[in-house]
Amino acid sequence: MAATAAFLQVEARWWHGVACAAALMSAGLAAFVVMDAPESHNPALGIVVALVVAAACIGFGSVVALGLRGRVRHGKIVFFAFAGMWLLFLGLRIVA
């Protein structure tokens, strides 16, 4: 997801990816606030987690693309976004 966001952000205006990530994060926070009982066994909590993870992936891909746009080819930007998210999730998996 981060690699796709980075690829799309290369050609888009600078605020498109950031706005999408902010909208997903806002939807996740709104869903968390609206939930009756935010406990670990609530099935709606999965939707909240999915929205927040999607916002983080899209935000990371957009930031990578914005930082490297104009200096690096599109394929390398996508590789850096993919490798960065892969290393991040691998690190989180090792820590957890």
Side-chain angles (χ1 to χ4, degrees), residues 36-65:
D36 290 335
E39 299 172 5
S40 62
H41 59 73
N42 192 346
L45 190 61
I47 294 172
V48 172
V49 171
L51 286 169
V52 171
V53 168
C57 288
I58 290 173
F60 179 77
S62 297
V63 167
V64 168

Side-chain angles (χ1 to χ4, degrees), residues 9-96:
Q9 183 66 45
V10 170
E11 297 294 329
R13 295 179 190 234
W14 70 268
W15 55 270
H16 285 172
V18 177
C20 180
L24 285 173
M25 186 64 75
S26 298
L29 293 175
F32 183 74
V33 169
V34 170
M35 282 189 335
D36 290 335
E39 299 172 5
S40 62
H41 59 73
N42 192 346
L45 190 61
I47 294 172
V48 172
V49 171
L51 286 169
V52 171
V53 168
C57 288
I58 290 173
F60 179 77
S62 297
V63 167
V64 168
L66 288 173
L68 297 176
R69 180 165 59 177
R71 290 184 232 141
V72 180
R73 291 188 340 239
H74 296 7
K76 285 191 177 186
I77 291 174
V78 171
F79 171 74
F80 288 137
F82 176 77
M85 285 305 289
W86 190 79
L87 290 172
L88 177 69
F89 281 123
L90 180 67
L92 290 175
R93 174 122 178 139
I94 291 171
V95 169

